[in-house]
Amino acid sequence: MTKIKRISFIFTAIFLAVSFSFLAAEIFVRAFYEMPDESRWIGNSRSFYEYDPLLGWRNIPNTDSIRTIRARGNNKIHYKINSKGIRGPEYSYEKAENEYRILLLGDSYTEGYVVEFDDLFSEVMKSKLNSMEKGVHFQTINSGTSGWSTDQELLFFQSEGKKYRPDLTIIMFYQNDLAYNNQPKDFGMFYKPLFKEINGNLLLTNVPVPKPDEIIINNQLSDDDISIFKKLKLWLHERSYLYVVIKKRIKNTYIFNDLAIRLKLKERPIKNEELLPREFNVWKKEYNKSVRESWHVTEAMLVKLHEETGLTGSSLLVVLVPHEASVYPAMWETIKKNYGYSDEEWDIGQVSLELEAICRRNGIDLLDPTVLFRERAKELEKIRKRLYDPLNEHWNYEGNKFVGE
């Protein structure tokens, strides 16, 4: 074998080995991981969501499917979406006699995508109320949709939710709502509506929301100056779970970010806190500009929702969805260690304190169940059970049961 043939053989062998390893890893990720959030709209995921010019995306109406999710135990969940894009059966706009109707607004925690519909906390709550009260029929309508934030939930109430004439409207608030309430996109490259607060008034922008395909074509592929490297990144983003999982892990891990900077694979940010996952910045006692703006517009949206629910004869209740780290102290200690947090500068209860202050000064009812969660978590630990699924950080069967009750 000549030297050239030997070198060619070696490079071919290396190429095949790398390709096989990549393919094997891709198959493994697809088999054991839920579709990454950033690629949720890509490929087969389009069978779950559709573009909406006002909300950005919504569940596709009139669908009935089995979804494979990343969860411990039961990872195949039956999903039935009604004609209005709401999980569950059909709900009439007109209320029956002696019916007390509860409308729920929220994201994936509210939608409860890791449990069957009958195990969803809103259904548990409905059953519990109907067993306690006589002469009144309670009905819950859960409009939670994965990825939605306060802005989309407000718009849904204005355009659809109020048609159900709820007696009580519950908006579930999770801390990552803050990050997305102040930006015009979610899920990586897919856009959403954006409210801006100007002189005490809310101004809706980025509507109609650009379609995902338009964004890819107009902002990514139509530019003649786009590099081959960027085209490759976009191609991988659209087609590879492995790429998105690794990218997300590096992006959200301080150690990996720091290593990438040291290897000069990315530029060092102006502030170290920019290495942190964006939603974690809400735990810092001294807010940066982005977090301050997010809280400001979030308060304006909650006030607006409070006004509009009142005009329709509905009461408003804000419910804080506790972050898992605020329920399990060991998790919070791990996060502090990984990111170099100090108790002097960071507080896991910061979101709770801020939300309480907002609701108090605007006369909005708030339920913060964090303390109750901690107590229940301790009880469940004795029998080796948890409130959150360990693989995706959402409420599992036990969590939904506890919340509903």
Side-chain angles (χ1 to χ4, degrees):
M1 182 181 294
T2 65
K3 185 176 181 180
I4 295 178
K5 287 184 177 181
R6 187 181 300 111
I7 293 175
S8 177
F9 175 80
I10 292 174
F11 274 102
T12 301
I14 292 174
F15 174 78
L16 291 175
V18 171
S19 300
F20 177 80
S21 299
F22 183 88
L23 179 61
E26 181 73 26
I27 294 173
F28 177 84
V29 170
R30 287 176 178 263
F32 294 100
Y33 280 74
E34 180 193 6
M35 182 176 295
D37 284 348
E38 292 188 10
S39 62
R40 188 179 295 273
W41 289 86
I42 305 303
N44 293 332
S45 65
R46 292 182 184 272
S47 62
F48 298 153
Y49 304 99
E50 69 177 8
Y51 164 76
D52 186 279
L54 177 65
L55 304 171
W57 62 90
R58 65 169 184 163
N59 290 310
I60 297 179
N62 298 315
T63 55
D64 194 334
S65 62
I66 300 296
R67 298 191 184 184
T68 301
I69 63 172
R70 182 191 177 201
R72 181 69 56 84
N74 181 24
N75 63 352
K76 294 188 181 297
I77 303 298
H78 179 214
Y79 247 71
K80 185 175 182 179
I81 306 299
N82 70 17
S83 63
K84 302 299 183 182
I86 296 174
R87 186 182 184 190
E90 295 293 333
Y91 301 103
S92 170
Y93 288 143
E94 297 299 321
K95 289 190 293 186
E97 187 177 356
N98 298 322
E99 178 180 321
Y100 187 93
R101 182 169 285 183
I102 303 171
L103 173 69
L104 294 106
L105 310 171
D107 60 6
S108 53
Y109 274 93
T110 309
E111 185 182 36
Y113 75 96
V114 301
V115 296
E116 296 292 344
F117 180 74
D118 289 340
D119 297 327
L120 191 57
F121 75 92
S122 50
E123 292 299 296
V124 174
M125 176 175 67
K126 180 181 72 175
S127 298
K128 189 75 171 178
L129 288 170
N130 282 324
S131 68
M132 294 169 59
E133 297 288 339
K134 304 299 180 182
V136 179
H137 173 68
F138 289 88
Q139 177 65 278
T140 54
I141 302 175
N142 188 331
S143 67
T145 303
S146 292
W148 277 9
S149 302
T150 312
D151 42 19
Q152 291 153 304
E153 293 150 17
L154 169 60
L155 290 169
F156 175 84
F157 180 85
Q158 293 173 329
S159 61
E160 179 68 18
K162 65 182 181 182
K163 296 178 183 178
Y164 295 99
R165 298 194 299 161
D167 298 283
L168 173 65
T169 300
I170 299 177
I171 183 168
M172 311 292 286
F173 186 88
Y174 187 58
Q175 68 174 54
N176 67 2
D177 290 344
L178 280 168
Y180 294 120
N181 284 343
N182 194 33
Q183 66 177 31
K185 66 178 181 178
D186 194 2
F187 291 152
M189 66 177 72
F190 301 101
Y191 280 57
K192 57 185 286 295
L194 175 67
F195 277 104
K196 295 182 179 181
E197 196 276 337
I198 300 177
N199 298 325
N201 297 314
L202 276 176
L203 175 65
L204 179 60
T205 66
N206 209 43
V207 170
V209 177
K211 292 183 179 179
D213 288 342
E214 289 177 353
I215 297 166
I216 294 174
I217 293 172
N218 296 335
N219 292 352
Q220 299 289 342
L221 300 182
S222 63
D223 186 356
D224 294 334
D225 296 328
I226 189 170
S227 67
I228 295 178
F229 179 69
K230 288 184 177 180
K231 287 183 179 179
L232 176 61
K233 286 175 63 178
L234 178 61
W235 186 88
L236 289 171
H237 186 97
E238 290 180 329
R239 293 168 175 79
S240 173
Y241 282 24
L242 179 64
Y243 172 80
V244 176
V245 168
I246 293 175
K247 177 184 175 182
K248 188 174 182 180
R249 179 64 62 186
I250 291 175
K251 181 179 179 181
N252 291 343
T253 304
Y254 179 89
I255 295 175
F256 289 159
N257 262 287
D258 190 58
L259 179 61
I261 291 171
R262 292 176 184 275
L263 294 175
K264 297 184 178 180
L265 297 176
K266 63 181 295 185
E267 295 181 1
R268 180 172 295 279
I270 298 174
K271 297 180 180 180
N272 288 334
E273 68 183 44
E274 293 179 22
L275 293 174
L276 306 174
R278 182 182 302 161
E279 66 179 79
F280 284 12
N281 282 321
V282 298
W283 294 333
K284 192 169 185 179
K285 296 178 182 179
E286 185 176 341
Y287 296 144
N288 61 29
K289 180 181 178 181
S290 177
V291 174
R292 284 197 304 271
E293 291 176 348
S294 295
W295 272 121
H296 192 62
V297 72
T298 296
E299 179 171 2
M301 286 189 285
L302 290 176
V303 169
K304 183 64 174 178
L305 181 61
H306 189 214
E307 293 174 354
E308 301 217 1
T309 52
L311 291 174
T312 61
S314 178
S315 301
L316 177 65
L317 174 64
V318 178
V319 176
L320 175 65
V321 176
H323 190 282
E324 190 175 5
S326 68
V327 177
Y328 296 96
M331 176 176 286
W332 175 233
E333 292 301 319
T334 299
I335 290 176
K336 287 197 296 183
K337 181 179 179 181
N338 287 345
Y339 293 100
Y341 289 174
S342 68
D343 291 328
E344 291 74 24
E345 294 183 288
W346 301 84
D347 182 3
I348 189 64
Q350 193 68 18
V351 174
S352 176
L353 294 172
E354 191 70 44
L355 190 61
E356 180 183 1
I358 287 174
C359 290
R360 184 174 59 250
R361 63 174 167 260
N362 291 290
I364 302 174
D365 290 327
L366 169 69
L367 173 61
D368 179 357
T370 305
V371 174
L372 296 176
F373 264 72
R374 291 171 184 165
E375 294 173 354
R376 182 58 178 159
K378 290 180 181 179
E379 295 174 359
L380 289 176
E381 283 181 335
K382 297 176 183 178
I383 54 175
R384 297 184 179 181
K385 292 185 177 181
R386 295 178 65 85
L387 294 166
Y388 297 74
D389 189 283
L391 297 181
N392 60 47
E393 301 177 355
H394 284 70
W395 294 330
N396 56 16
Y397 170 82
E398 292 292 342
N400 273 274
K401 181 173 181 292
F402 178 66
V403 174
E405 291 179 345

